[in-house]
Amino acid sequence: MELITVKAAAEKWGVTPRRVQILCSQGKIKGAVRFGRAWMIPVRAVLPSSSKGEIPHMPMPRKSPFLDMTNLYSRAGEADACAEMLVNNPEAYALFNAQIAYRRGEIDKVYDHARYFLSAHSGFYAILGGGMLLALCAIWRGDIRLWNEAKKHVCEAPCSNNTEREIVSLTLAIIDSSIYDNKDFPTWFQIGNFEVLPADAHPAAKVFYIKYLYMAAYAIASKEAKLEGIQGLALMKIIPNTIEPLITQAVVDKTVIPEIYLRMSCAVAYYNSGQKDRAIAHIDKAVALALPDGLYGILTEYIRHFNGLLEERIALQDENAVTLVVELYRTYSIGWAKLSGAMRNKYIATNLTPREHEVAKLTVFGYTIKEIANMLHVSESTVKQTIVRTIHKTGVLDKSEFAYII
């Protein structure tokens, strides 16, 4: 039987080592054994359920399932210090640590924490947070069964009023947005009205609202959706006008994670609109915020949007960090493509080079071969060869089907 230390068990469950020691001495952790003055715990042991009264559930310090997106985390480089401030609130401590672990790309830790919430019958926001974490693990693993289980847990969150039921609906839509499915966002959210949400949840809501707008802009640009009076990159080009004020507000509110996400989303919109310099300005600021706490997982989510530009900008600030981000992306891209493709009935290619992906995307956006050549500073012949190579790699009939592989 494999055993782990009290410290390792505490990190796994998101509680303090002292709490684990007390539970061991009370005989409440099955299989725990004592060697001298130290306890050792079976690696498969579970934290006793709080429904039996072992661990009191305390209200979340913020009314939001996204604690790391609130002003609890207000300064880059201090994520761990912020976590320590929550040490006397086991659920908040575990949820915050799990969310930071996800931002760092530490998916095994995320999975263990999510299991803790969902087995301990935690409170409303903790269950929503646990369900979200489980869904994110499913993306990295490409696990459809786990994805559906995560959504089931969210649906079963103990709602006590209509507001909480609306929050559940929003959480389910946010989960779906991770694989670029935006059809089920509540109507009130689609128009940017967050009055139904607690104020603590607004920073996160702004991040996902921008993601909703981006998905709509991408769908219009790729001709997967139609909106009267808008076509091509028209919506994509004006999205930054909405994001820029939100970035300023995130700076004022001192919410680090939302600022990173908003800057990266703004950079994507600028980049797709051909405004590379403006994209770089936001990328550089986002990377500077992410690196002090090793938030490589956030950066990983955006690699596929930039045709190698993001890796270049990270390397300018930290060459070791870019190696770690690229390694994480290999795992993330395979899992995301598998899950997103299966849920949306698409084949998403993972074997394309950055240049092939970029040419395919620009083709989907309606650019001509000549325009693509000018944008990428290559010959028209090179663009044509890239298109042919992409068709052969993915098995589509012609470039008109590129929208189904990227």
Side-chain angles (χ1 to χ4, degrees):
M1 178 173 61
E2 185 180 354
L3 301 174
I4 58 176
T5 65
V6 166
K7 181 180 179 181
E11 291 179 352
K12 176 179 178 180
W13 294 330
V15 297
T16 64
R18 177 61 177 162
R19 184 62 197 167
V20 176
Q21 289 172 337
I22 291 173
L23 291 171
C24 288
S25 64
Q26 293 174 343
K28 294 180 179 179
I29 297 182
K30 187 175 180 180
V33 293
R34 189 166 186 167
F35 294 95
R37 299 175 63 182
W39 287 95
M40 298 297 289
I41 299 163
V43 69
R44 296 186 180 278
V46 297
L47 190 67
S49 171
S50 58
S51 62
K52 298 179 182 178
E54 290 87 347
I55 298 178
H57 289 298
M58 301 170 63
M60 283 289 160
R62 299 290 186 274
K63 289 185 177 180
S64 172
F66 308 99
L67 289 184
D68 66 328
M69 288 194 180
T70 69
N71 61 4
L72 286 173
Y73 179 27
S74 60
R75 190 170 178 176
E78 297 187 359
D80 293 331
C82 294
E84 287 305 311
M85 292 191 302
L86 302 170
V87 72
N88 292 321
N89 185 333
E91 287 193 338
Y93 180 72
L95 182 57
F96 185 88
N97 273 320
Q99 289 168 340
I100 292 299
Y102 176 76
R103 310 305 177 196
R104 289 170 170 164
E106 299 169 343
I107 303 306
D108 289 340
K109 285 186 180 181
V110 177
Y111 180 81
D112 289 337
H113 281 303
R115 285 297 182 200
Y116 159 69
F117 293 121
L118 301 175
S119 65
H121 307 290
S122 302
F124 177 71
Y125 288 109
I127 288 178
L128 293 187
M132 282 287 300
L133 292 169
L134 206 63
L136 293 169
C137 290
I139 293 173
W140 281 70
R141 297 180 176 186
D143 189 332
I144 297 174
R145 180 197 60 78
L146 191 62
W147 175 264
N148 290 329
E149 180 189 347
K151 296 177 74 171
K152 179 175 181 290
H153 282 297
V154 171
C155 289
E156 293 174 350
C159 301
S160 59
N161 51 55
N162 287 334
T163 293
E164 291 184 350
R165 281 185 276 276
E166 291 285 4
I167 294 173
V168 167
S169 297
L170 176 60
T171 302
L172 291 170
I174 288 171
I175 289 174
D176 286 339
S177 75
S178 299
I179 57 170
Y180 275 58
D181 179 355
N182 70 342
K183 66 180 182 298
D184 291 326
F185 276 99
T187 302
W188 53 267
F189 186 83
Q190 294 180 30
I191 62 173
N193 180 358
F194 305 149
E195 290 182 3
V196 69
L197 299 173
D200 291 332
H202 285 198
K206 293 171 185 175
V207 170
F208 295 113
Y209 179 64
I210 291 304
K211 188 170 185 179
Y212 168 77
L213 291 181
Y214 174 78
M215 287 188 290
Y218 189 94
I220 291 170
S222 61
K223 301 179 180 63
E224 292 184 35
K226 294 182 179 180
L227 187 62
E228 186 176 353
I230 298 179
Q231 59 183 354
L233 289 168
L235 182 55
M236 185 77 72
K237 290 178 178 179
I238 63 174
I239 283 181
N241 297 342
T242 300
I243 306 178
E244 293 281 12
L246 298 184
I247 293 172
T248 301
Q249 190 62 51
V251 174
V252 172
D253 292 340
K254 296 183 179 180
T255 49
V256 175
I257 298 294
E259 183 182 346
I260 295 173
Y261 273 112
L262 289 170
R263 287 192 183 280
M264 292 304 299
S265 295
C266 198
V268 172
Y270 277 135
Y271 184 78
N272 286 339
S273 303
Q275 301 179 72
K276 185 176 177 180
D277 289 343
R278 290 188 174 182
I280 287 174
H282 280 297
I283 289 173
D284 288 350
K285 290 179 180 178
V287 170
L289 288 170
L291 292 185
D293 278 315
L295 307 181
Y296 307 132
I298 298 179
L299 303 177
T300 297
E301 295 179 28
Y302 287 91
I303 281 185
R304 69 192 306 268
H305 295 285
F306 290 110
N307 188 32
L309 178 63
L310 179 54
E311 295 96 302
E312 292 176 12
R313 305 311 299 181
I314 296 172
L316 290 175
Q317 297 191 41
D318 188 334
E319 292 185 357
N320 292 327
V322 75
T323 300
L324 294 171
V325 171
V326 170
E327 288 178 359
L328 286 173
Y329 181 67
R330 293 192 186 101
T331 300
Y332 174 80
S333 62
I334 293 172
W336 184 87
K338 179 180 178 181
L339 181 61
S340 183
M343 298 304 294
R344 295 189 291 154
N345 195 29
K346 293 177 64 173
Y347 164 71
I348 299 174
T350 58
N351 60 340
L352 299 180
T353 65
R355 174 55 55 83
E356 290 164 350
H357 185 273
E358 184 72 0
V359 169
K361 181 180 72 174
L362 293 173
T363 300
V364 168
F365 285 171
Y367 288 107
T368 66
I369 289 176
K370 183 177 181 179
E371 289 171 333
I372 295 173
N374 290 336
M375 292 173 70
L376 301 182
H377 305 291
V378 297
S379 68
E380 292 182 34
S381 175
T382 296
V383 175
K384 292 177 182 178
Q385 292 171 8
T386 302
I387 290 174
V388 171
R389 191 164 59 248
T390 301
I391 291 172
H392 288 164
K393 273 189 175 183
T394 59
V396 297
L397 296 178
D398 53 47
K399 65 180 183 180
S400 67
E401 296 187 350
F402 280 177
Y404 300 102
I405 62 169
I406 61 174

